Amino acid sequence: MPYIEVYEVSHAYDTPSGRVAGVVGVSFGIEPSEFLCLVGPSGCGKSTLLNIIAGFLSPTSGEVRIGGRVVTGQGLDRGVVFQDFAQLFPWRTALRNVAFGLEMKGVPKNEREEIAMEQLKLVKLEKFAHAYPHHLSGGMQQRVAIARALAYNPGVLLMDEPFAALDALTRDDMQRLLSDVWRKTHKTVVYVTHNVAEAVFLADRVLVMTPHPGRVKTEIAIRLPRPRDPLSIEFLDCQKELLRHLVEPTPIGKDAPRNGGIA
Amino acid sequence: MSASETARSRYRSLVALAVMAGAYEGLARSGAFPSALLPTLPAVAEALLMGVADGTLLRHAASTLYRVLVGLGLAVLVGVPLGVLMGRLRAVESFVLPLASALMPIPSLAWVPVFILWFGLGNATAIGIVVYAALFPMLLNAWSGVRSVNPLWLRAGGSMGAGPADLFRKVIIPGSSPFIIAGLRQAFMRAWIAVVGAEMLAASDWGLGWVIFDAKEFLKADTMLASLAVIGLLGFAFERWVFGALERATVQRWGMVRAGKG
Amino acid sequence: MADAIGADAIGAAGPVAAPTPHRESGWRRVLRTLLPFIVVAGIWEAVSHSGLFHPRLFPTIEAVAAQFVRLTVSGVLPYHAAGTLTRLAAGFALAAAVGIAIGIVMGRWKLAEDTLLPPVSVAAPIPGIAYAPLFLLWFGPGNASTVLLVAFVSSFPVVFNTWTGVKSVREVWLRSAVAMGAGGWRLFLKVVLPGALPFILTGLRLGLAQAWRILVGVEMLAAVPWGLGWMIFGAREFLNTDVMLAGVAVIGAIGLALEKGVFERLERLTVVRWGMMT
Ligand SMILES: Nc1ncnc2c1ncn2[C@@H]1O[C@H](COP(=O)(O)OP(=O)(O)OP(=O)(O)O)[C@@H](O)[C@H]1O
Ligand SMILES: [Mg+2]
């Protein structure tokens, strides 16, 4: 039985000009310790879906179950990493940012700082434990955010385009780092991205969504051995296949997504 | 701007101050005005030193500070939580905002006669006026501060298990601290004006405002100028050292505001 | 919010009737704004009728309203209000003229800046009202002291902001104007002044707010023969709390009118239209 079950989930936003569909009737499952990527054109509802799994939004219909329990709100079983660097608390050092979740759990100070330090080591930032976020580069801030989401040991890591605002070189490093972290921690990961190569590099399975209003179009298992080599023929083949699914006109959609949707 | 240019303007400033002091001294000594109205600078310095030496000026300053700090403290205790509630709950906002907009344009000193009737002459009236003066800057700044809190911080806090109380103390308050500190500064400035005015009007034997006003009755311009200097110095010290230090230790260190001068 | 109500009122006065749902939401908004006042008035009435406090000290709203009407009809209240407004206008006009002049001189000439900045910075942190007894001593009780003090106090923000504004006029504007043949007075009037205007207006606005914040207090201290400050302070002698509260209400109304009526309009006409401020 899948660890996370998304069952017939729809969400509509209330706006002054009426209701706007975010996602429509999405269903899929995620196995424990699986790395799942969600890709789809801009505005198709990837963030909406992730926010529903995180518990920030409640579905208008359908439900999400994690480990058999229906999601009704935020919970310590899920860690979240956003795209925006500003997600870190500027008034806390890197270490104290990472320790926040443990602090909420009531873990004593010494112990939580020790755990936080380990997490920072995992993302190779132990030297910057006492720096404030505004003294860290964008990539470093995102690494702190990952460490922060892992520190209180949630089973699930939800990430919404965490590296989209980074330059290509840094992004490459970060993808490798995340891949390592995932292998060491065995988290279940749901990862939203625009970037086809990123999805092929990271994922066990990729879910392709249709343009707005989003539904699941296909899913593709990536069976390449890890660590993956982005220059190998197999990798490029996977990438091509995924791209084909993304750009081919959808039978139900009004218009085909243009290249704009894919970085 | 080069270093020598900075040095030159500092030098010019000193010269300017010295020339002005000299001109004042000349005017005071010329005998054109009675010395009770235009005391010489040494006389003012003497009044200042005497007041400090025999402790009266210090006690006046302490009374004034007491009123300001108690009033400011009450304004913070009421204004910040209420402002936060306004920022978080629509109902509170639409109830409090119209009232605040109606009361804000009334200068705090206009309430002095009413407060005198209600609370009598003395500390209660002065503190009440200070609270009135300081409350609105605190309230409005806390309100804007909460609305400026990045929603991502709330989500991140919530997903790490922070409940409403933790969110308030550990996310919302530090997140809106640039505004709260700006509000504190503004509130102190208003409170400082209000306390001096209230002390003059609601005479109470102690307090810097009262000294100045009392000195007028006895034509003691030297005492007046000495107290004026103390008022200015205390205000400046608070602004520069207390709030400046607070800002450097918090929002500037956290990179939430850039360091500016003054 | 007030803007939206204003827009609504204009729409309703126009030849085309506003669509019903829109008007309804306008009414709802008015009601929502009034609600807190109704609640507070209700509490006030309950307390004043309860007999908990002496009616001279805690008058009912009817009593305050009646007093307000009586004072207005007899001309006493308008007379006092006119006195206060005249002082405010005179003091503020003086502050604006002198303050802008000093600020510009400081912004354009380094020597003036170096000379004037220290004394201005020394005098500025002292709350204006603290100078009141000194002014009364020097210029005697009455109008002269009051007007001069108001001018003195409100000139500080005007000076500081004008100075900053003039110094922040963009170099490209000056260069391009000079390249197009402007110089001397014309450069000043057509480039420096409009360029610094957002700051100058901010200074004027802050100055007016400061003037208003102390004027009422100064009127009480200076024992001027007429003025709202004197009216409410004098009412203390006879425990006329209703007169005081009527006076405070007028003071609040004037303060609100100054803020909304004078400056928001002025800003809309100039810098907002030029897109220099929103
Ligand atoms: N707060 C909101 N209010 C109203 N409509 C919204 C809101 N957020 C998203 N939507 C709508 O829901 C749809 C899905 O948005 P969502 O942010 O989930 O897309 P996305 O796939 O994450 O896009 P992107 O790749 O650009 O981040 C969009 O078409 C948008 O119009
Ligand atoms: Mg998105």
Side-chain angles (χ1 to χ4, degrees):
Chain A
M1 195 176 88
Y3 182 51
I4 303 179
E5 297 160 275
V6 176
Y7 178 73
E8 284 297 316
V9 163
S10 302
H11 183 85
Y13 288 99
D14 275 318
T15 65
S17 50
R19 283 165 86 81
V20 178
V23 284
V24 182
V26 175
S27 298
F28 59 89
I30 308 167
E31 298 301 324
S33 301
E34 189 183 15
F35 199 121
L36 181 85
C37 274
L38 280 177
V39 299
S42 185
C44 72
K46 305 181 294 289
S47 300
T48 307
L49 199 52
L50 199 80
N51 285 334
I52 290 172
I53 301 175
F56 300 137
L57 293 175
S58 43
T60 347
S61 67
E63 62 184 23
V64 175
R65 257 174 271 147
I66 298 182
R69 283 219 308 266
V70 176
V71 167
T72 50
Q74 307 166 355
L76 286 175
D77 54 343
R78 284 151 284 161
V80 189
V81 180
F82 305 95
Q83 175 181 345
D84 198 339
F85 302 160
Q87 66 190 292
L88 294 183
F89 301 135
W91 55 91
R92 288 179 163 238
T93 58
L95 187 74
R96 296 195 61 229
N97 258 290
V98 176
F100 189 92
L102 297 163
E103 192 177 324
M104 295 300 113
K105 266 186 169 175
V107 178
K109 190 169 159 62
N110 284 340
E111 197 179 322
R112 68 179 185 241
E113 298 207 329
E114 210 170 286
I115 301 174
M117 201 54 153
E118 273 164 35
Q119 299 302 327
L120 281 174
K121 277 193 192 124
L122 197 63
V123 294
K124 305 198 177 77
L125 277 177
E126 64 274 17
K127 279 197 212 117
F128 294 91
H130 299 288
Y132 282 98
H134 71 118
H135 287 137
L136 301 176
S137 73
M140 290 156 96
Q141 292 187 31
Q142 288 308 78
R143 266 141 71 194
V144 176
I146 293 171
R148 184 171 80 167
L150 290 171
Y152 50 97
N153 202 19
V156 180
L157 198 54
L158 305 172
M159 308 177 91
D160 191 353
E161 306 191 49
F163 308 143
L166 299 174
D167 64 275
L169 271 179
T170 317
R171 191 163 56 221
D172 193 60
D173 282 346
M174 300 290 293
Q175 285 159 2
R176 280 168 213 284
L177 184 123
L178 177 64
S179 193
D180 286 349
V181 167
W182 172 72
R183 258 197 324 218
K184 283 182 201 155
T185 57
H186 306 290
K187 301 291 176 200
T188 310
V189 180
V190 183
Y191 188 104
V192 167
T193 180
H194 269 121
N195 188 324
V196 171
E198 185 172 71
V200 175
F201 185 79
L202 291 170
D204 289 329
R205 195 153 52 102
V206 181
L207 229 56
V208 182
M209 293 180 70
T210 63
H212 179 258
R215 307 164 167 280
V216 178
K217 187 175 170 197
T218 31
E219 53 170 83
I220 300 169
I222 313 277
R223 295 207 178 78
L224 303 173
R226 294 173 189 262
R228 291 174 180 164
D229 175 7
L231 295 178
S232 67
I233 304 286
E234 297 83 358
F235 191 97
L236 294 177
D237 281 342
C238 272
Q239 218 176 314
K240 263 189 230 154
E241 190 194 344
L242 189 51
L243 206 55
R244 191 169 50 76
H245 283 292
L246 257 173
V247 295
E248 99 184 346
T250 339
I252 20 170
K254 280 158 280 171
D255 51 13
R258 261 156 251 140
N259 266 344
I262 299 147
Chain B
M1 155 163 331
S2 67
S4 74
E5 218 171 307
T6 319
R8 193 168 71 191
S9 56
R10 191 163 302 161
Y11 169 73
R12 275 183 184 170
S13 303
L14 283 178
V15 171
L17 274 182
V19 167
M20 254 168 246
Y24 176 89
E25 191 66 12
L27 198 66
R29 284 181 191 275
S30 71
F33 301 96
S35 67
L37 295 186
L38 213 61
T40 61
L41 291 176
V44 175
E46 197 190 321
L48 186 63
L49 286 179
M50 289 283 287
V52 172
D54 68 9
T56 49
L57 206 50
L58 296 182
R59 184 159 171 204
H60 287 302
S63 310
T64 302
L65 278 179
Y66 168 77
R67 292 175 188 129
V68 164
L69 294 181
V70 171
L72 198 60
L74 288 174
V76 171
L77 280 183
V78 177
V80 172
L82 194 57
V84 170
L85 280 182
M86 279 169 70
R88 303 279 296 164
L89 302 175
R90 242 343 226 293
V92 180
E93 178 181 300
S94 58
F95 191 86
V96 177
L97 203 57
L99 289 177
S101 326
L103 288 177
M104 237 175 346
I106 304 175
S108 51
L109 291 178
W111 290 103
V112 170
V114 182
F115 281 24
I116 290 177
L117 283 192
W118 286 350
F119 309 123
L121 296 176
N123 268 345
T125 292
I127 291 174
I129 296 296
V130 169
V131 171
Y132 187 90
L135 183 63
F136 296 111
M138 280 324 304
L139 187 74
L140 293 187
N141 276 286
W143 174 57
S144 332
V146 170
R147 289 186 309 161
S148 79
V149 167
N150 187 336
L152 274 185
W153 298 338
L154 297 173
R155 283 193 167 178
S159 72
M160 288 186 274
D166 277 323
L167 276 184
F168 176 79
R169 273 192 322 133
K170 300 189 171 169
V171 179
I172 294 173
I173 292 291
S176 45
S177 53
F179 284 82
I180 291 179
I181 290 176
L184 212 52
R185 280 203 137 119
Q186 217 180 337
F188 177 80
M189 255 167 48
R190 299 264 177 95
W192 203 227
I193 300 174
V195 80
V196 172
E199 284 177 348
M200 289 178 178
L201 291 164
S204 54
D205 290 350
W206 292 101
L208 294 166
W210 182 82
V211 183
I212 299 187
F213 199 64
D214 188 54
K216 185 189 74 121
E217 305 292 314
F218 301 99
L219 294 180
K220 290 198 300 197
D222 49 356
T223 308
M224 223 181 233
L225 286 169
S227 316
L228 216 54
V230 174
I231 291 176
L233 276 178
L234 280 177
F236 183 77
F238 259 88
E239 167 64 29
R240 191 48 77 83
W241 292 313
V242 178
F243 297 122
L246 186 63
E247 209 164 61
R248 275 191 300 280
T250 56
V251 288
Q252 268 181 35
R253 190 152 73 116
W254 304 334
M256 293 173 82
V257 297
R258 267 171 299 144
K261 58 178 180 115
Chain C
M1 185 176 245
D3 269 358
I5 292 170
D8 238 31
I10 291 165
V16 185
T20 326
H22 190 120
R23 186 187 281 172
E24 221 171 48
S25 87
W27 274 112
R28 285 267 283 280
R29 216 173 297 150
V30 170
L31 249 171
R32 212 180 38 209
T33 314
L34 283 180
L35 181 73
F37 295 100
I38 295 169
V39 171
V40 169
I43 296 174
W44 183 284
E45 281 292 82
V47 173
S48 61
H49 282 286
S50 72
L52 220 57
F53 303 103
H54 195 282
R56 297 299 291 266
L57 291 182
F58 206 96
T60 60
I61 293 175
E62 309 90 86
V64 177
Q67 191 62 268
F68 176 81
V69 170
R70 193 160 65 239
L71 289 173
T72 307
V73 170
S74 68
V76 173
L77 200 50
Y79 187 66
H80 283 301
T84 298
L85 282 175
T86 313
R87 281 186 204 104
L88 183 71
F92 181 64
L94 198 60
V98 176
I100 291 175
I102 293 181
I104 286 172
V105 168
M106 279 170 63
R108 297 291 288 170
W109 286 286
K110 192 83 183 90
L111 179 64
E113 183 179 345
D114 291 342
T115 322
L116 289 172
L117 200 54
V120 172
S121 319
V122 168
I126 302 178
I129 191 108
Y131 293 103
L134 200 64
F135 274 66
L136 292 177
L137 198 61
W138 284 346
F139 306 108
N143 267 328
S145 291
T146 316
V147 170
L148 284 176
L149 184 62
V150 166
F152 180 72
V153 168
S154 52
S155 65
F156 284 102
V158 181
V159 169
F160 273 120
N161 280 283
T162 308
W163 169 60
T164 316
V166 170
K167 291 196 73 153
S168 69
V169 171
R170 291 199 199 154
E171 200 60 31
V172 280
W173 295 346
L174 293 176
R175 290 216 187 122
S176 50
V178 170
M180 289 183 280
W185 266 108
R186 281 195 306 166
L187 182 69
F188 176 75
L189 273 183
K190 304 204 170 195
V191 182
V192 175
L193 207 55
L197 201 59
F199 286 84
I200 297 179
L201 284 179
T202 305
L204 289 176
R205 187 177 195 154
L206 292 174
L208 185 63
Q210 290 230 22
W212 182 239
R213 227 170 278 135
I214 71 149
L215 174 59
V216 177
V218 177
E219 282 184 342
M220 297 180 197
L221 289 168
V224 287
W226 31 276
L228 290 169
W230 185 83
M231 184 187 95
I232 60 176
F233 200 55
R236 190 183 40 121
E237 303 289 335
F238 309 102
L239 296 184
N240 284 330
T241 315
D242 47 359
V243 175
M244 283 181 188
L245 291 175
V248 168
V250 174
I251 289 171
I254 294 176
L256 196 63
L258 287 175
E259 177 67 16
K260 296 269 168 221
V262 180
F263 274 99
E264 285 188 1
R265 195 149 300 166
L266 197 56
E267 268 170 7
R268 229 173 299 148
L269 278 181
T270 53
V271 287
V272 172
R273 201 172 54 170
W274 304 334
M276 289 166 76
M277 223 154 87
T278 48

